[in-house]
């Protein structure tokens, strides 16, 4: 039996039995222990102790990218990406989240055919491992479903008894009205099988067949996948669409207790064999539901996506008023020093608006919807249980959500506005997740939407690396302006302990147009007043009374300017000032 402390071993057994009952749960536990014991014996180097409260620092920033986001003639895209990142972002980012890089059939990678293979159009596992020599790696576990073209589903259709219960078969007459839907597509899909036509559960699309985790064999196969990912160098595990994992007819089938039990079980597994791995949950839902995946702070995910941040930041710049953003940020808390937020403003998906429920009134959400449409974007909707539809996400590039691509505004103003939005993301307590199209200053890819017919394609353009290099070499180009400013923000952030994820955070109520934070290093020795003007107007404020102990004045980390202790602080439109306290 695996040489674990009795508490962890009992915890794993208890969770297996909670999921599958005493008899099936114990059998699952026994098989799981065999998997873990074998892995642990093969990889003793991975059992080194890790302080869960000290594994992240201000030096951590994660780039989000597809394996094929950058391309060069005659070179596997993963090699092109690696070369570009080494040249341009070494020292500025610490990790790379490669969005699903497996063979797939649809949804730009999220309909996985084979969890254990690299899409040959992108490269090989050697390419992935080489990238991991220079940057930590985040992998996706697209855990809710597999491709309709996967071997698992083909064997299910063929009547292989080993796969008969890998998927969820439902009588189409069953009342499923209670199920919470992230999409407007049908929940059940008819398929031809050796047993005749059967209807299978498909939360996201007819090509994405939901796995049946009520079958312990499914769990054990997924654990094998997880252990394989650790062998390939994974440090961060992103649990995609985890909220919908467990199904029980008659319930909303979202955030069920069994889903949380599975997340806790994965945490136990990593604590047993690879304690350095950090789990991050992706749940595009209202804030209270989202942070439930922290669990107690010690037993579920170490990181959760900060989903309200993208739309709230956009709202602040749309209105020129940071009041709502500041009020929300003032209420952020973490359940333990072992947890933190994954702060992002843009990703391969759109800007989710469900997280705004309970924060912004419907009229303000409609305002964001209308802006996205005016700026060349679109809106995706979800189906409600009463048959109505409501906005789910804004499909638009974040740069264009902030600045009208058809307007005549000077590029300097557009870049300043965009970088101010990104500085907010970098200043907040947590680990920043930076989409490659953000750091490169990309805009809407409407041609791609026309090609694929999918709204999310608007922010997923594959770029020619040579063209990007030419633009970055031209200091007057939009890409160069954004990239230079973004890299500067990252370089400052990584050098300042006050931006440590475990540093304290206080919202500074100085002016409606300013989003202000006082960040303090974990040891209390260094403090930074991070000020961000979200408006098109000059703003002048005083820090007297708001921040004590600045007898030596302030040093602007971005401009190098020194300010006297009582000097008024002026911010031009969309200016960012990160003012370090000089004792």
């Amino acid at each position: 039996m695996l040489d674990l402390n009795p508490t962890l071993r009992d915890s794993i057994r208890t969770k297996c039995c909670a999921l599958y009952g005493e008899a099936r749960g114990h059998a699952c536990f026994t098989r799981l222990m065999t998997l873990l014991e074998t892995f642990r014996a093969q990889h003793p180097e991975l059992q080194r102790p890790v302080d869960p409260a000290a594994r992240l620092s201000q030096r951590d920033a994660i780039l989000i990218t597809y394996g094929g986001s950058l391309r060069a003639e005659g070179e596997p895209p993963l090699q092109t990406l690696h070369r570009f990142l080494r040249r341009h972002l070494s020292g500025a980012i610490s990790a790379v989240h490669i969005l699903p890089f497996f063979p797939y059939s649809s949804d730009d990678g999220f309909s996985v055919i084979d969890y254990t293979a690299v899409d040959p159009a992108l490269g090989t596992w050697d390419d992935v491992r080489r990238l991991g020599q220079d940057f930590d790696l985040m992998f996706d576990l697209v855990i809710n479903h597999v491709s309709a073209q996967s071997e698992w589903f083909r064997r299910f259709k063929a009547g292989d008894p080993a796969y008969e219960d890998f998927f969820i078969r439902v009588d189409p007459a069953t009342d499923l009205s209670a199920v919470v839907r992230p999409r407007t597509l049908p929940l059940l899909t008819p398929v031809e099988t050796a047993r005749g036509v059967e209807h299978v559960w498909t939360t996201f699309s007819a090509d994405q067949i939901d796995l049946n985790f009520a079958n312990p064999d499914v769990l054990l196969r997924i654990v094998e996948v997880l252990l394989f990912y650790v062998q390939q160098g994974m440090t961060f595990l992103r649990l995609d669409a985890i909220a919908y994992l467990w199904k029980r007819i008659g319930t909303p089938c979202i955030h069920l207790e069994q889903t949380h039990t599975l997340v806790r079980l994965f945490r136990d597994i990593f604590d047993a064999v690879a304690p350095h791995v950090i789990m991050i949950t992706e749940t595009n839902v209202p804030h209270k539901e989202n942070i439930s995946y922290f669990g107690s702070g010690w037993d579920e995910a170490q990181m959760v996506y900060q989903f309200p941040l993208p739309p709230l930041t956009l709202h602040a710049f749309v209105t020129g008023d940071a009041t709502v953003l500041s009020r929300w940020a003032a209420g952020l808390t973490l359940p333990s020093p072992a947890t933190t937020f994954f702060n992002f403003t843009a990703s391969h998906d759109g800007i989710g608006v469900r997280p705004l429920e309970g924060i912004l009134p419907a009229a303000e959400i409609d305002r964001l919807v209308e802006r996205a449409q005016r700026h060349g974007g679109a809106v995706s909707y979800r189906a409600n249980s009463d048959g109505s539809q409501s906005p789910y996400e804004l499909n638009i590039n974040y740069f264009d959500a902030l600045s009208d691509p058809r307007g005549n505004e000077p590029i300097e103003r557009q870049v300043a506005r965009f970088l101010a939005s990104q500085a907010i993301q970098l200043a907040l307590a947590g680990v920043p997740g930076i989409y490659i199209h953000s750091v490169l200053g990309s805009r809407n890819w409407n041609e791609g939407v026309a090609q694929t017919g999918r709204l999310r394609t608007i922010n997923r353009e594959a770029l020619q690396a040579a063209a990007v290099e030419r633009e970055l070499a031209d200091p007057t180009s939009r890409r160069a302006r954004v990239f230079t400013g973004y890299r500067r923000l990252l370089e400052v952030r990584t050098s300042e302990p006050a931006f440590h994820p475990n540093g304290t955070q206080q919202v500074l109520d100085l002016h409606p147009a300013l989003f202000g934070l006082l960040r303090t290093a974990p040891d209390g020795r260094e403090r930074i007043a991070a000020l961000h003007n979200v408006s098109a107007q000059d703003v002048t404020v005083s820090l007297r009374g708001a921040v004590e102990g600045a007898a030596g004045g302030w040093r602007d980390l971005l401009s190098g300017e020194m300010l006297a202790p009582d000097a008024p602080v002026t911010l031009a439109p969309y200016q960012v000032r990160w003012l370090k306290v000089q004792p």
Side-chain angles (χ1 to χ4, degrees), residues 92-129:
I93 62 167
S94 61
V96 181
H97 171 203
I98 317 172
L99 290 156
F101 49 85
F102 319 106
Y104 70 97
S105 55
S106 64
D107 200 17
D108 289 336
F110 285 89
S111 186
V112 177
I113 293 174
D114 185 348
Y115 285 118
T116 61
V118 174
D119 183 350
L122 298 177
T124 67
W125 276 116
D126 284 340
D127 295 322
V128 173
R129 289 188 289 266

Side-chain angles (χ1 to χ4, degrees), residues 85 103 123 154 189 198 244 283 292 297 320 400 408 445 459 540 542:
L85 297 183
R154 285 200 298 269
T189 297
E198 295 186 317
Y244 303 96
T283 56
S292 70
D400 283 349
N408 296 316
W445 189 39
N459 203 25
T540 299
S542 173

Side-chain angles (χ1 to χ4, degrees), residues 393-541:
E393 69 178 13
L394 312 180
N395 299 112
I396 190 168
N397 172 279
Y398 209 78
F399 191 103
D400 283 349
L402 290 165
S403 300
D404 191 345
R406 293 165 293 195
N408 296 316
E409 191 176 37
I411 189 62
E412 294 85 357
R413 175 64 63 90
Q414 297 179 50
V415 170
R417 183 188 292 117
F418 179 71
L419 289 176
S421 75
Q422 303 307 287
I424 289 173
Q425 166 187 330
L426 300 183
L428 277 166
V431 174
I434 304 155
Y435 191 38
I436 191 168
H437 283 295
S438 291
V439 76
L440 293 179
S442 296
R443 309 204 79 150
N444 290 338
W445 189 39
N446 297 107
E447 298 87 347
V449 176
Q451 292 170 15
T452 67
R454 297 190 299 270
L455 298 179
R456 284 179 167 177
T457 305
I458 198 167
N459 203 25
R460 298 180 177 182
E461 183 177 7
L463 303 171
Q464 292 300 314
V468 172
E469 293 281 6
R470 286 194 297 272
E471 291 181 87
L472 293 182
D474 176 5
T476 66
S477 73
R478 182 190 69 256
R479 286 202 197 279
R481 292 173 190 267
V482 170
F483 185 85
T484 301
Y486 216 131
R487 183 176 173 99
R488 173 63 178 154
L489 289 169
L490 284 167
E491 289 172 340
V492 170
R493 183 186 186 277
T494 59
S495 64
E496 295 296 333
F499 287 126
H500 192 289
N502 289 350
T504 61
Q505 174 172 285
Q506 175 191 342
V507 173
L508 298 174
D509 185 14
L510 301 170
H511 189 282
L514 287 189
F515 180 71
L517 296 171
L518 180 63
R519 295 298 314 277
T520 304
D523 63 7
R525 295 180 182 178
E526 299 184 35
R527 293 180 296 158
I528 295 171
L531 309 180
H532 314 83
N533 186 356
V534 303
S535 77
Q537 310 299 322
D538 288 347
V539 175
T540 299
V541 296

